[in-house]
Amino acid sequence: MAALVGASLLAGCATTEHTSGMNTGPFKLEEATIASVHRALAAGELTCVQLVQLYLDRIAAYDRKGPSLQSMITVNPKALEQAAELDRRYRADRSSAGPLHCVPIVLKDNFDTADMPTTAGHVSMKNSIPQADAFTVVRMREAGALILGKSNLQEFARGGMSVSGLGGQVRNPYDLTRTAGGSSGGTGAALAANFALLGTGSDTGQSIRSPASASNLVGIRPTRGLVSRAGVIPNSLTQDEIGPITRTVTDAARLLDVMAGYDPADPVTALSSGRMPKSYTHLLAKDALKGARIGVMTTMFGKEARHQEVNKVMEGVIATMQSLGATIVRFDLPEYTKLAGLVSTSRFEARTVMERYFATLGPQAPIRSFADLVATNQSVVQKTLAAELAVVDGMNSVAYKDRTLNREKLKILVAGKMAELKLDAILYPLQRILVVPIDAPDQTERNGTMSNGTGFPAVTFPGGFSTPTANAPIGVPVGAELLGPDYSEDRLLAYAYAYEQAANPRRPPRSTPPLAGEP
């Protein structure tokens, strides 16, 4: 379990903070970080109740009103009560404060919470309350976090548009005519709009990294086995991962510190034993890119007119990294394109993992099996769910075994190229085009298979913005992604941090400005 930290760390955050735009003046809610909140609490400028109320006010003003982002499904009805208890404990004994003390977090609404419904966005599950918190939610609460609410998503995380029957269509706060990526688009929009301090997502294809890219955020898809998936409504046994979505690299690292670790309920996490640093912040430094060999995989870039806005931003990222001392190695990997479409296993595993999940729900659950769910015929992804249910014993099929073998081939292919070129990481855009409009048929031209098809970790981070337009007054965010070998999260975060410090690419959206009286 992540060690609890005392008042000395909370008070000392001003000297140990790794983040861009550090402000040691009066507390400011917009773009707040863990460190800035802890400084304000330690100085007596802020209470947990006040912080939570500020975020609740923003949700009330902007989520279903104003720009109507539709990023939230449930707001914790006991949030202020829980904040008051955190304040009481802090006054009584500051040394008991955890590393996420009074950190309001929004969870993608497929993370189990025993005190709020876990719906996956499905109307028939609006009152489905699990019997226990997800493993990672337990860890967050033990670290002092406050679960502010549950965010909207592509229903059951089956797709990238972030629309659900229960929550509606999530809108991108930078361009309200566009999606917020997916499937964790609700978390992305909420964090971009400053509705909470941190957030979580799940990633079967690219569902943490797509919203991070679309909303000018940092997202981590961890190495397979680093973070337990127990208590998260699943898609796949082999492809699913969960991780942080935040506004800064440092906060992503700090949330990963709490989330990572062995859980017997998810046996694959045994692979991470002895493979984690004391903290994922330990390599964060402004000069982290000096001497690094960064491979730019040209296979992942488009060449048509529709790709030019993304390519322009990425060339800026490349130039900045080079100016910070990185050696840039451009290369093509045509074999990747051949294999990338032959590695997805989720369709063969979905029925098995979904039945396992529903078996964990109590007798009062409104939906008790995958078959019951499909029989409601109420899902916005009904065809997908029905097709998954129709796959009987998919994990024993020849096609499944072929795809499992192809995953290993892809992993060896990518690792081999990194070894050949002596690369520390591979850089590419998460999406080759700007995130799609709400009326598009699907979220297209994403590069998530590089990580989900190999199991290698990836960190998506803000690269910059497209050319401003009437709908996007500061432009549409473009996310860059760094991928490395197993358990290289600390190094990838360090490279993203160095870029963040030099380029300062994070900008809050114009559609959700500070409220009157907001600090």
Side-chain angles (χ1 to χ4, degrees), residues 158-178:
R158 265 54 168 193
M161 299 294 283
S162 292
V163 58
S164 71
L166 198 55
Q169 172 68 65
V170 181
R171 297 179 182 275
N172 191 315
Y174 291 93
D175 181 344
L176 299 175
T177 70
R178 293 181 185 270

Side-chain angles (χ1 to χ4, degrees), residues 168-400:
Q169 172 68 65
V170 181
R171 297 179 182 275
N172 191 315
Y174 291 93
D175 181 344
L176 299 175
T177 70
R178 293 181 185 270
T179 69
S183 62
S184 313
T187 298
L191 266 291
N194 288 279
F195 288 175
L197 207 58
L198 308 177
T200 67
S202 63
D203 191 312
T204 306
Q206 47 253 305
S207 293
I208 289 170
R209 297 162 292 142
S210 173
S213 174
S215 293
N216 199 222
L217 301 168
V218 179
I220 304 172
R221 179 186 166 98
T223 304
R224 184 166 188 260
L226 183 64
V227 178
S228 171
R229 303 157 301 175
V232 179
I233 299 176
N235 279 20
S236 167
L237 182 67
T238 56
Q239 287 185 223
D240 284 352
E241 299 298 337
I242 66 172
I245 301 175
T246 65
R247 287 186 291 270
T248 71
V249 173
T250 302
D251 280 358
R254 287 180 170 171
L255 182 51
L256 186 61
D257 283 345
V258 172
M259 295 179 74
Y262 172 64
D263 173 17
D266 188 2
V268 73
T269 57
L271 298 174
S272 68
S273 294
R275 305 295 298 274
M276 294 176 287
K278 184 176 180 180
S279 171
Y280 283 97
T281 64
H282 77 117
L283 296 180
L284 302 188
K286 292 182 179 181
D287 64 353
L289 279 163
K290 188 175 182 180
R293 287 179 62 84
I294 304 297
V296 174
M297 188 167 162
T298 56
T299 320
M300 310 291 263
F301 290 71
K303 299 178 181 179
E304 307 299 329
R306 67 182 182 276
H307 302 117
Q308 294 314 303
E309 288 283 0
V310 168
N311 291 349
K312 180 175 67 174
V313 170
M314 289 303 301
E315 287 301 326
V317 173
I318 292 164
T320 298
M321 287 188 169
Q322 198 163 22
S323 74
L324 294 171
T327 297
I328 301 299
V329 181
R330 297 181 188 257
F331 71 97
D332 191 19
L333 193 61
E335 301 92 337
Y336 169 84
T337 304
K338 299 173 185 177
L339 275 174
L342 300 172
V343 296
S344 177
T345 54
S346 57
R347 180 169 62 91
F348 302 93
E349 298 170 337
R351 178 170 176 162
T352 297
V353 297
M354 288 289 278
E355 291 292 10
R356 288 177 185 172
Y357 174 78
F358 283 113
T360 69
L361 302 180
Q364 304 305 314
I367 302 292
R368 298 289 305 281
S369 73
F370 192 24
D372 288 346
L373 174 69
V374 173
T376 67
N377 198 30
Q378 291 183 296
S379 177
V380 300
V381 290
Q382 183 69 24
K383 290 182 179 179
T384 298
L385 297 177
E388 291 173 351
L389 183 65
V391 178
V392 179
D393 202 20
M395 293 169 68
N396 282 319
S397 68
V398 173
Y400 177 75

